Amino acid sequence: MVFSGIPDEAFMFYEGLEVDNSKSYWNANKQVYDTMVKAPVAAMLDELADEFGTPHLFRPYRDVRFSKDKTPYKDHQGGYIQILDGVGYYLHIGADGLYVAGGWWSQGEMTNRFRAALEDDVIGSELEKIVDGLRSDFRISGDRLKTRPRGVPEDHPRLDLLRHKSLYAARQYEPEPWVHTPEALDRVRQTWRTLTPLVDWLRVRLS
């Protein structure tokens, strides 16, 4: 399938799901999901694969085993391209439009590697420059400590970054007319290209 845009029916599907997140709604609208949501997102990812890597489409079902919220379905359809375990490019569509991001999502040992890299003035300053350059157009997000990491002085020049246990930059596009056209593919491609310096820094330093 060649990507031609994200149909308006995809956003309408998720508007309905927000009102009625039930198996009955899902079953009644399964064909809409398959043709208007899943198929165009998969087609977009496939067209980005040559430049960015092997795509993966997330399942639409929520893991409710340990959650008080037992609604069965995610309120968006996501996909990603992994460059390193926990590092890569991400997108999803939902009722509020098209969300595009890139960065690092996992924690554990990678958090220690991340902080060690930031302790180096040259390497750490590289990331600081990359992140500062993205702030005007992207939301810088990730899990963060409320206080500083143990042993880090209050006047550390990169204290804000050192608080991160994950780090990614994201941009939300509302479902404007261009989203329904092939221009959506160009927008995602250009957004991911803009985020490539961040992804590359994380790929090298967290591997």
Side-chain angles (χ1 to χ4, degrees), residues 1-11 13-14 26 31-49 52-60 74-81 89-95 97-100 179-182 184-186 188-189 192:
M1 177 181 175
V2 176
F3 178 79
S4 59
I6 301 168
D8 191 46
E9 290 86 348
F11 304 107
F13 170 83
Y14 280 109
W26 187 270
Q31 185 177 3
V32 176
Y33 168 77
D34 287 338
T35 59
M36 302 297 179
V37 176
K38 183 178 179 180
V41 171
M44 176 185 282
L45 289 169
D46 286 345
E47 295 206 35
L48 293 164
F52 295 97
T54 303
H56 303 271
L57 200 66
F58 283 103
R59 289 165 55 85
K74 297 175 183 176
D75 62 2
H76 58 270
Q77 174 61 61
Y80 72 102
I81 291 177
Y89 303 93
Y90 174 81
L91 64 82
H92 76 233
I93 63 171
L98 172 64
Y99 176 90
V100 188
V179 174
H180 310 311
T181 74
L185 174 64
D186 297 331
V188 172
R189 179 183 286 113
W192 279 0

Side-chain angles (χ1 to χ4, degrees), residues 63-193:
D63 184 353
V64 299
R65 292 173 298 173
F66 308 106
S67 175
K68 293 181 180 179
D69 180 2
K70 299 300 181 182
T71 51
Y73 304 104
K74 297 175 183 176
D75 62 2
H76 58 270
Q77 174 61 61
Y80 72 102
I81 291 177
Q82 182 171 283
I83 307 302
L84 177 71
D85 186 23
V87 175
Y89 303 93
Y90 174 81
L91 64 82
H92 76 233
I93 63 171
D96 54 354
L98 172 64
Y99 176 90
V100 188
W104 156 54
W105 283 270
S106 63
Q107 299 181 23
E109 177 58 29
M110 281 188 169
T111 302
N112 296 329
R113 296 174 192 167
F114 177 76
R115 290 175 181 161
L118 284 175
E119 289 293 346
D120 184 286
D121 285 337
V122 174
I123 296 172
S125 294
E126 288 176 359
L127 179 62
E128 191 173 32
K129 183 177 180 180
I130 291 168
V131 170
D132 286 345
L134 294 172
R135 289 189 188 278
S136 60
D137 294 317
F138 294 87
R139 179 180 177 184
I140 306 301
S141 302
D143 292 330
R144 288 166 47 94
L145 294 173
K146 293 182 179 179
T147 58
R148 65 184 188 277
R150 184 176 302 174
V152 174
E154 292 183 1
D155 60 350
H156 194 289
R158 290 175 293 282
L159 178 58
D160 184 64
L161 286 172
L162 281 165
R163 289 195 175 103
H164 278 268
K165 297 186 288 181
S166 62
L167 174 68
Y168 55 93
R171 187 168 184 176
Q172 177 74 42
Y173 296 101
E174 295 183 1
E176 298 175 0
W178 61 262
V179 174
H180 310 311
T181 74
E183 185 181 341
L185 174 64
D186 297 331
R187 294 273 189 130
V188 172
R189 179 183 286 113
Q190 187 54 55
T191 301
W192 279 0
R193 285 175 177 172

